[in-house]
Amino acid sequence: MLLARDGRPLHRRVVAVAVAALMATAASPGAWQTPAADAGKPDVTTLAWGDNGSGQLGDGTTIHRSTPVRVCAPGRTAPCTRFLTDVVGIAAGTTNSLALRKDGTVLAWGDNDSGQLGDGTTINRSTPVRVCAPGQTAPCTRFLTDVVDIAAGTSHSLALRKDGTVLAWGNNGGGQLGDGTSTNRRTPVRVCAPGQTAPCTQFLTHVHTITAHGGHSLALRKDDTVVAWGTNGFGQLGDGTTTNRSTPVRVCAPGQTAPCTQFLTHVHAIAAGRTHSLALRDGGAALAWGNNGAGQLGDGTNTNRRTPVPVCAPGQTAPCTRFLTHVSTITAGGRHSLALAKDAALAWGNNDLGQLGDGTTTDRNTPVRVCAPGQTAPCTRFLTHVHTIDGGGQHSLALVDDQRPRHWFVP
């Protein structure tokens, strides 16, 4: 769950397996708040739909669902009569799901071949199980607590504890758990501090926000700097190299080359795509790095970038002379990116299924405005009054002021 520094949710990444926690009355961002911010709000119902081959919908079956079903309570079997409640945060991996409860504990269900459910086994689960405490082995007798944020990559999971430390579990083939090894973990391990080697004696602290996608992980620290770890074949860690990292490295400042001597600062928010990364600086400027094959970095080129580059302003062509500013929200899909700037929804990158919403299926390497409902290209009216945006693997979502969710894709 990604939050602004004032505690407001910035966006929710939706992937191929969609899981949503909805308020009883409306699809409100309040359903994604931290336990402290959620106090006094109505309870939520956790719903899921889509692919269910590994039990990632949590309804006790492996039957695909084309409409939402309720996620079962832990320990139930289908047909469930009790359902998951007290949820304040959700995250979806490729074929697994996570939920953060009000009491700071974490539940997981779905695919578990790499241990990404954190229950000490590699057994798939079609209803939620509790994530074990660090150091436990199955059957666990102690469970993870004091969690305020969760994130999921393709087959690994992250948790941010209220003391600012980060835990990880699941697939670690690219170092995405950050524990200094490439060993898969069935229960949570602590993410090492930058510069450590296994066995680590110092661990990552002072973290404000976490995010993950694909095989890499990012953390925004309370000093407004960013660290990254995991797979780096496209430069998505932003350290100036394409070397996988099994412990966190600092993201370089724009214009640096490895070995960097200056590092990214004044960051307000982060987002992770499948193989690219985004950052929003305090002044509302958007930066991007990593894979750019579909233009998802928005710098007017299709050149991969190993360190951050500024996202161009709409209408620019490379080399850009004006850049995207006044951004309040960023999010990343699989190979596309979105931003909310001055109430305008912008998108760039891969567009083969219409995920940019500009009325075409043409990839864009600089931002374009998302069209208003009912428009056809070239659009003359554009989506406005946008409250929240989100990018999925190959689709996008927006919540507008009338609280009706919008979505777009081309079959």
Side-chain angles (χ1 to χ4, degrees):
M1 183 170 56
L2 299 180
L3 303 175
R5 290 204 173 281
D6 61 4
R8 292 180 296 106
L10 285 173
H11 66 270
R12 167 60 42 198
R13 180 174 61 81
V14 182
V15 294
V17 182
V19 181
L22 304 179
M23 296 298 290
T25 56
S28 162
W32 302 330
Q33 290 176 337
T34 62
D38 191 70
K41 290 186 179 292
D43 205 349
V44 299
T45 297
T46 308
L47 304 174
W49 60 96
D51 178 20
N52 199 25
S54 298
Q56 58 265 48
L57 302 190
D59 69 341
T61 77
T62 54
I63 300 170
H64 304 319
R65 306 291 186 177
S66 59
T67 56
V69 293
R70 287 186 291 178
V71 176
C72 297
R76 310 304 288 185
T77 56
C80 299
T81 55
R82 292 180 57 196
F83 301 94
L84 183 58
T85 59
D86 297 326
V87 172
V88 295
I90 53 173
T94 298
T95 52
N96 67 289
S97 307
L98 300 172
L100 173 60
R101 303 191 85 174
K102 288 180 182 178
D103 62 3
T105 61
V106 180
L107 300 173
W109 59 97
D111 186 18
N112 198 26
D113 61 350
S114 298
Q116 58 264 50
L117 302 189
D119 70 341
T121 78
T122 55
I123 300 169
N124 292 357
R125 306 291 185 178
S126 62
T127 58
V129 293
R130 289 186 292 176
V131 174
C132 297
Q136 291 282 289
T137 56
C140 300
T141 56
R142 292 186 300 111
F143 300 92
L144 187 57
T145 59
D146 297 322
V147 175
V148 296
D149 197 0
I150 53 176
T154 294
S155 54
H156 74 288
S157 305
L158 302 176
L160 173 62
R161 302 186 88 170
K162 65 183 180 182
D163 64 1
T165 61
V166 181
L167 300 171
W169 60 97
N171 188 6
N172 199 24
Q176 55 264 56
L177 302 190
D179 70 340
T181 78
S182 57
T183 303
N184 293 354
R185 305 293 184 179
R186 299 178 183 180
T187 57
V189 293
R190 288 185 293 177
V191 175
C192 297
Q196 290 282 290
T197 56
C200 301
T201 57
Q202 295 180 312
F203 300 93
L204 187 61
T205 59
H206 303 295
V207 173
H208 179 269
T209 301
I210 54 174
T211 188
H213 201 165
H216 74 293
S217 308
L218 300 170
L220 173 60
R221 305 188 79 178
K222 292 178 181 178
D223 63 359
D224 300 331
T225 63
V226 181
V227 295
W229 62 97
T231 57
N232 196 27
F234 295 94
Q236 59 263 47
L237 301 189
D239 71 337
T241 77
T242 54
T243 303
N244 292 354
R245 304 294 185 178
S246 61
T247 58
V249 292
R250 289 185 292 176
V251 175
C252 298
Q256 291 282 291
T257 56
C260 300
T261 57
Q262 294 180 311
F263 299 93
L264 188 59
T265 59
H266 302 294
V267 176
H268 183 72
I270 53 175
R274 186 178 301 136
T275 51
H276 74 289
S277 304
L278 302 173
L280 176 61
R281 303 190 88 171
D282 284 340
L287 300 172
W289 60 96
N291 190 357
N292 200 23
Q296 58 264 52
L297 302 189
D299 70 340
T301 78
N302 293 92
T303 303
N304 296 348
R305 304 295 184 177
R306 300 178 184 182
T307 57
V309 292
V311 177
C312 297
Q316 289 283 290
T317 56
C320 300
T321 56
R322 292 189 299 111
F323 299 94
L324 191 58
T325 58
H326 300 99
V327 176
S328 60
T329 303
I330 54 169
T331 185
R335 298 175 64 225
H336 71 290
S337 307
L338 300 106
L340 183 59
K342 290 185 174 179
D343 189 46
L346 303 171
W348 61 97
N350 183 227
N351 198 27
D352 59 346
L353 296 177
Q355 51 265 54
L356 303 189
D358 70 339
T360 78
T361 56
T362 303
D363 290 356
R364 305 293 184 178
N365 58 21
T366 58
V368 292
R369 294 187 68 182
V370 176
C371 297
Q375 290 282 290
T376 56
C379 300
T380 56
R381 291 188 299 111
F382 300 94
L383 193 61
T384 59
H385 304 294
V386 181
H387 183 274
T388 304
I389 55 171
D390 200 358
Q394 292 179 293
H395 70 290
S396 303
L397 301 170
L399 184 66
V400 297
D401 281 346
D402 64 5
Q403 298 295 293
R404 289 181 294 170
R406 312 287 189 186
H407 65 278
W408 57 91
F409 68 98
V410 176

